[in-house]
Amino acid sequence: FTNEPTGGTVTLGFNVPQSGPYADEGADELRAYELAVEHLNGEGDGGMLNTFSSKALGGNGIMGKKVAYVTGDTQTKSDAARASAKSMIEKDGAIMITGGSSSGVAVAVQGLCQEAGVIFMAGLTHSNDTTGKDKKANGFRHFFNAYMSAAALAPVLEKLYGSDRAAYHLTADYTWGWTQQESIQAATEAIGWRTVNNVLTPLAATDFSSYIAPVLNSGADVLVLNHYGGNMVNSLTNAVQFGLREKQVNGKNFEIVVPLYSELMAKGAGQNIKGIVGSQNWDWKLGDEGTAAFVKSFGTKYGFPPSQAAQTCYAQTMLYADAVERAGSFNPCAVGEALAGFEFDGLGNGKTLYRADDHQCFKDVLVVKGAEDPQDEFHLVEIVEVTPVAQVTYDPEHPMFAGGALGECNPGA
Amino acid sequence: MGILEVKNVNKRFGGLQALGDVNLSVAENSVHAIIGPNGAGKSTLLNCLVGKLIPDTGSVMFDGQSVLGRTPYEINQMGISRVFQTPEIFGDLTVMENMLIPCFARRDGSFKLNAIRSVEGQADIHDKAEAMLVDMNMADKRHMHAASMSRGDKRRLEIGMCLAQEPRLLLLDEPTAGMARADTNNTIDLLKQIKEERNITIVIIEHDMHVVFSLAQRITVLAQGSPLVEDTPDKIKGHPKVREAYLGESTPA
Amino acid sequence: MLGIKGKDLTLLCVVAVLALCAPFILNPFPQSSAMAQFNAGYPDLMQRFVIFGIFAVGFNILFGLTGYLSFGHAAFLGVGSYSAVWMFKLLSMNVIPAIILSVIVAGLFALVIGFVSLRRSGIYFSILTLAFAQMSFNLAYSVLTPITNGETGLQLSLDDPRIFGTSVSDTGGIPVTSLFGMEMRETSTLSLGDWSFQFSNGYYLCAVLLLVSFYISIRIFRSPFGLMLRAVKSNQTRLNYTGLNTRPYTLAAFVISGMYAGLAGGLLASMDPLAGAERMQWTASGEVVLMTILGGAGTLIGPVLGAGFIKYFENIFSKINDNVLHQWFGGLPEGLENAVVWFTEHFVGSGWNLTLGLLFMLVVTFLPGGLVEGGTRIGRLIRGKSKRAEKKAAQSKPAE
Amino acid sequence: MEAILLQVLNGLDKGSAYALIALGLTLIFGTLGVVNFAHGALFMIGAFCAVTVQKVLTLSKITLDPVKTDFLGNPLQIKTPYVEGWFGPEFGAALIDWSVPLAILFAIPIMLVIGVVMERGLIKHFYRRPHADQILVTFGLAIVLQELIKHYFGANQIATPAPDVFRGSFDFGAMMGMDPNVVIYPYWRLVYFAFAAVIIGAVFAFLQFTTFGMVVRAGMADRETVGLLGINIDKRFTIMFGLAAAVAGMAGVMYAPINSPNYHIGMDFLVLSFVVVVVGGMGSLPGAVLAGFLLGILESFASMNEIKSLIPGIDQIIIYLAAIIILLTRPRGLMGRKGVMED
Amino acid sequence: MNVKPDFNKGKNYAETAPAFLSVWNMESYYGESYIVQNISFNVHEGEILALLGRNGAGKTTTLRSIARMNSPQVTAGEIWLDHQPLHKMASYEASRAGIGLVPEDRAIIPGLTVEENLQLAQIAPPIGWSLERLYDLFPRLGERRKQEGVTLSGGEQQMLAIARALARDIKVLLLDEPYEGLAPVIVDEIEKTLRIIKEQGITTILVEQNAVRALELADRAVILDTGTIVFDGAAAEVLGNEELRSEYLAI
Ligand SMILES: Nc1ncnc2c1ncn2[C@@H]1O[C@H](COP(=O)(O)OP(=O)(O)OP(=O)(O)O)[C@@H](O)[C@H]1O
Ligand SMILES: Nc1ncnc2c1ncn2[C@@H]1O[C@H](COP(=O)(O)OP(=O)(O)OP(=O)(O)O)[C@@H](O)[C@H]1O
Ligand SMILES: [Mg+2]
Ligand SMILES: [Mg+2]
């Protein structure tokens, strides 16, 4: 199979954005990867190795081979990401590629890995498509997705804002935005909300004023921002500038919802994020054992708590290594088999299942909101509720995920 | 009926009447000079002939066809070439390349993607350009960048490029300005010779009376946009009005 | 030979030798040495060198000769890629129809955009082309998603119809691109001691096409057409008064260079069947401009050098992380090691952009003719002929 | 009707931002003829002046909280900004609140210096070089500046809010007797609008009522001859560059509260500013301003739902579409001068 | 025939020279080509010097070197104007020191009106003739003051270029083919003007193809050939010297 490790080391490829707007997220992912490599090689305090339910890993590398790694820059562009991944595979002999912070890149690199015959452990990617219509046998996603966000959010929104609400959606005009919007619209309509309008905004937009200005007069009393990263920071900032949050419509307080949250976005949005509800895959404030162990070793090494992107990347690396050990082989097909349907605990988010049908992880989802009075810059987000996994699980044949097929696993040449 | 017929041409620039009712008839295979004070409208008239300017009223016929409303390259294709008051040449190219371009340009102006054979490979055209350079006495400057030649040389090159096109009507705007006396004389000889050999009609604007009187068969004197007189050189020399308005005392009669 | 001679022929031969031996030349360092990081001889990067070389060579036909600076050339590359991928999806995995279609479609696209944009010159032309390309990019990213698959990029899938081929390969995967059965991704490895050299079919297809493109570009440069284009750059007024309408010439140059871009796009997709919208973004158009200027606009080989230079930094420097640095400088005393690593870190890995920016500035400031000028200077140094000496020689001759 | 009024207002404001951003570029690109790809970087540095002032004002003394702990279980560090210590909590807090307007004062001299250094150190050598070389060197410079900012401030956006008094929006509709909340506009954007008007006016006046503008125009057309007339054109070009940098910087500072800046913000605006300048017409200051407003308003209209449903995706391309139409109908943009960068 | 100019090659040549403007061992290059080849000559205060020679002899290059233009590059030699070292100055400094050049292509600045072209000359000190006075001298310019300078007719542009030089308070006027493209009557006018200027004590170097005209006006003449001086002496001498006339001037 492709890049079968023959010497005393095994090389993993960490493909993260190092330039472009998501460079900070990429940097955090890289930190997590380095930590994971340390732990796998038996250095440091072992982190989640100690809490992981599977005990196959022994801190002596993977199957006795020392873990080495190479890094590359995805630039958050499908093309560049694939070039970078290819060079890891062709030049450095990487046996597994992981990382990334956007769905476009994840899908593109996943496709590449499928063709090249290596395993792809997706980083931060939230679009339904990654494990929906674009799913691949060689690709695995630990991160949650748009459907899960919506499913977790809806009940909380109902509790907070009632079931008689009219929502106005602003949606980033590309695949992720669409799936996010579709999911949240379906979920909120299921609790009785009306959808007043859904307006697509250009990805390149920096100033959202012309999209926000008409919102108040539209009869809507909730604004849903299906934006991520810079788009979300800017649209939220603009919305707050327009004073939307101080307004009353239909006799109710006007509310803003941001379905997908991240710590970095919260930081970029500053004051404006206070009280805004959204969802996260994971948060360092989760009380479980695995989280605590990870936060401790990450925090000790770098001086601040890890982001959800870092956690998902760390967990993915562990899961891959563990699967290799359990399979007893680096062969992607064997690894894939070991991962598919694998149930585990102790990597945060409680009990988790890597579903065989679509290689999507199922675990608890967090509903969070911007803290009103954060004690420090690490507490910008507070957890509102941990939605149990059952509530966010869907059928593999769900229409939002239909259309693709995993195909056969490809071990490569 | 001349080969070039200008009738009642008027051109205004804002409040300025640059050309007022200009009539001009140039006989085939003759040299016709246009003289007149600075700002009389000589260059403007030439601009109207080649499509650089469109006259407000009037007509310009070349060989029985109107030139008005045509673009400069269409007018050139009818057989009119022009040398400018400040030389217009391809400064970045060598002298030889400058000369090659009019040789490659097809008479009917039609476009041909001549991208396969190399320039050197097309010997006939190459030879023609070479011959023209020799005629212009510039063969030794063949590889020089046109922009780095002195002004007199640039003028000569431009004249050569226009001649290479084998035009039927050659318009010259002060072709010998700034040229050394010796070169001026050469140019006069060259023009005379070319006119004889190739049956070219020449319209020349010049302030150098030596050139005008050596070449021209007829002279039009333009003043303030309108023709003052038109006559043979000898008559013009003695014309009192012309002497007063244009020639001045010091010009030898 | 081949209708070119002298320096041009030498140049073509040099390029041919370099291109064919690239797997050796680009892999000078033994696998286990610390310098192996700088090896660039793996298929993907070599393909990129060559493909972007083609792109830049084509761009240079427009910009280098006519001086018309198109800021939207990436659109043609993108269109070429999309056409090729569609061809793979619908027709067959053979690269020939894909490449042909991408060249044709890009040419038609260039014809339309060029026809409109060439009504203006100078900066106005640049902005027109930029506007067209940005429109294409924005639409491809969103509204045209059914055709382009938007942000993710157009990819092959298991349910593609593929009339003259199979939708699914025997192993259950998506079939791979090939040239009459010769798989593009197939790579044979030659191990010589600690060196290993990779020879990929795809690369050699690209290299051959580069040579053909380069050869055509030489012919164009030396042809009357090329002369006319240079005349357009030099003085359009004179050309007009020489009876020539400049539009067909510039349009022809525009379309030809658009077809080169289409070829590059088609090849990109043939090597890796994915077409992303970012390929059409202004930064991508800007990149080819930078490649051309960096290498030396108007020179034959310059654009290829420029393309190689930029792609090298993008792919090699970006991958050097502090882990690698510590390995390199591991021999130094601890404190010094950390200091050196700390310093170097700014210029590699995520700092690769910084290095590239600095090099842009240095090259253009000190080598006004681009990398080619650098080469000329080195050549002169080697031949031991200094500028001074030439000056002395000129002195003895009179000015004329 | 209200929707249209709303979008006109919106467009005016967007337009003022575009005009202000493009203004600095016109001075360098339209007037000096230097294709300055580093203009976006200057804008970005301006925005980061605001960030820096905010950071400096919030530099804090650290004390340890005996009760609370941080995420690693150590005692929590409590930060009190030094300014609050020095000037009292109220005035200190007000200073921090007003950091963006304060940053203007810092940005002007800093940007002037940056502009002058940039011109003297680098651009000076490129006036006579081909535009392509200018693109390469300024693009290189832009990357370098960007990477430096990224190195010190990270890649994430940094919230730089406007003073609290400018939060919320002004209800035009209510003022004009319509229903409330129909035509509203944020206060800070009104401030931005006014600020842009003042700066644009000041630059106009400077170039119109002094000989400076004429000399620079002449110098761009023919440096040699201007030198022949005893004028030290280099000095004036330097001043012009400083001025342009200052304008770009101020635009950046004022924009920071609208879009939290990151190191990329300049690149995001670069293409737009070139389009605005060229659509306005090379060498024309009023043209650039007009084009800024025109494109701003068009963009606002294109984002109206009614129009978007008619032509999907129109808001994605409206700026470029408008640019194409304008450049095809008017050879030199809206008000371009002849002979400036036409070949 | 090759006449050496009269100057002594001392270090303190500048102080001892009787000349107002002296050019000493000047060499000028355009890039790699060596154009002005080590020439030296003097101009005395208030005199008109005719600088003659064939096309490409280097006349323009000499004037541009004296005016300290960017090209050509003067690589050796010294230029002194009234005890000021011009060779150390930039062109704008030379202009302020009193050099006024009327360039051969007239160099009217595009985009500026006639009046602005003149105003431009009066921004930096020292300022010479007033605009009114210039318009009196060239009434045509007065009539066209609002017109864009480059749309003037060839002759009008020449007038503007001369007027622009006079708009500054100059000590030495460098005229590069001022009669080119001018109607004979105007040439007479300008000749008169040059005499007036001379009476005011302004020194002039006149480059002209119409050698006879120039020599009748000038006090002294310098003849250049391929970048070297082949004659330096009284103007009348040239007119009387058949050999010089035919060899270098073709008159
Ligand atoms: N584009 C223009 N706008 C305004 N006035 C113009 C324009 N072009 C020419 N003129 C004016 O028209 C008149 C005629 O100009 P023209 O160039 O034809 O003169 P000319 O006879 O060639 O003079 P010369 O012998 O000096 O070259 C001049 O007074 C000139 O200023
Ligand atoms: N920009 C330039 N680059 C290179 N060589 C040049 C340049 N300008 C002029 N030359 C060369 O310098 C020499 C002298 O030119 P110059 O213009 O000084 O002659 P001139 O005596 O003024 O002639 P003319 O009477 O034709 O104006 C010529 O041989 C010319 O080819
Ligand atoms: Mg004229
Ligand atoms: Mg001269």
Side-chain angles (χ1 to χ4, degrees), chain B residues 19-74:
Chain B
L19 293 176
D21 271 335
V22 177
N23 287 292
L24 186 73
S25 170
V26 179
E28 184 149 13
N29 198 16
S30 71
V31 178
H32 195 118
I34 302 174
I35 62 173
N38 295 117
K42 304 182 294 296
S43 300
T44 306
L45 177 59
L46 233 50
N47 289 341
C48 290
L49 302 186
V50 297
K52 193 173 181 193
L53 288 176
I54 299 169
D56 302 334
T57 62
S59 71
V60 179
M61 307 291 280
F62 173 71
D63 201 17
Q65 282 180 297
S66 174
V67 307
L68 298 186
R70 295 177 196 247
T71 59
Y73 60 85
E74 287 165 345

Side-chain angles (χ1 to χ4, degrees), chain B residues 141 144 147-154 178-180, chain C residues 399-400, chain E residues 30-31 33 35-36 53-62 64 71 104 176-177 207 209 224:
Chain B
K141 297 199 169 66
M144 220 167 150
S148 62
M149 291 198 300
S150 80
R151 280 239 289 173
D153 291 341
K154 287 181 188 161
M179 237 186 231
Chain C
E400 276 173 308
Chain E
Y30 282 115
S33 29
I35 307 292
V36 167
R54 281 202 273 244
N55 286 128
K59 307 179 293 295
T60 301
T61 312
T62 305
R64 290 175 62 91
S71 69
E104 76 178 340
D176 200 347
E177 313 206 9
V207 168
Q209 287 299 351
L224 275 178

Side-chain angles (χ1 to χ4, degrees), chain D residues 169-185:
Chain D
S169 53
F170 178 71
D171 202 327
F172 277 99
M175 194 183 75
M176 289 161 61
M178 297 179 210
D179 292 340
N181 287 350
V182 173
V183 183
I184 54 167
Y185 223 64

Side-chain angles (χ1 to χ4, degrees), chain C residues 87-147:
Chain C
M87 218 54 183
F88 294 135
K89 284 171 96 70
L90 299 179
L91 208 62
S92 92
M93 292 306 285
N94 194 330
V95 295
I96 296 291
I99 289 175
I100 292 176
L101 184 77
S102 52
V103 172
I104 292 174
V105 173
L108 290 176
F109 205 58
L111 187 69
V112 174
I113 291 183
F115 184 79
V116 177
S117 304
L118 284 165
R119 302 165 82 90
R120 299 286 173 262
S121 63
I123 189 70
Y124 297 104
F125 167 81
S126 304
I127 294 293
L128 278 173
T129 49
L130 171 81
F132 277 114
Q134 282 291 84
M135 271 173 39
S136 315
F137 162 68
N138 283 336
L139 292 179
Y141 217 96
S142 58
V143 184
L144 295 181
T145 298
I147 309 175

Side-chain angles (χ1 to χ4, degrees), chain B residues 43 85 173-174, chain E residues 154:
Chain B
S43 300
Q85 197 162 354
D173 199 347
E174 306 193 26

Side-chain angles (χ1 to χ4, degrees), chain A residues 248-289:
Chain A
Q248 295 246 318
V249 177
N250 308 335
K252 304 180 197 96
N253 280 332
F254 194 94
E255 302 293 349
I256 299 176
V257 176
V258 175
L260 177 59
Y261 238 68
S262 79
E263 300 83 346
L264 284 167
M265 274 153 59
K267 211 164 156 190
Q271 302 278 319
N272 303 325
I273 200 79
K274 285 186 180 174
I276 305 266
V277 175
S279 69
Q280 275 191 194
N281 183 51
W282 177 85
D283 189 275
W284 68 267
K285 292 184 280 305
L286 270 176
D288 66 285
E289 220 190 338

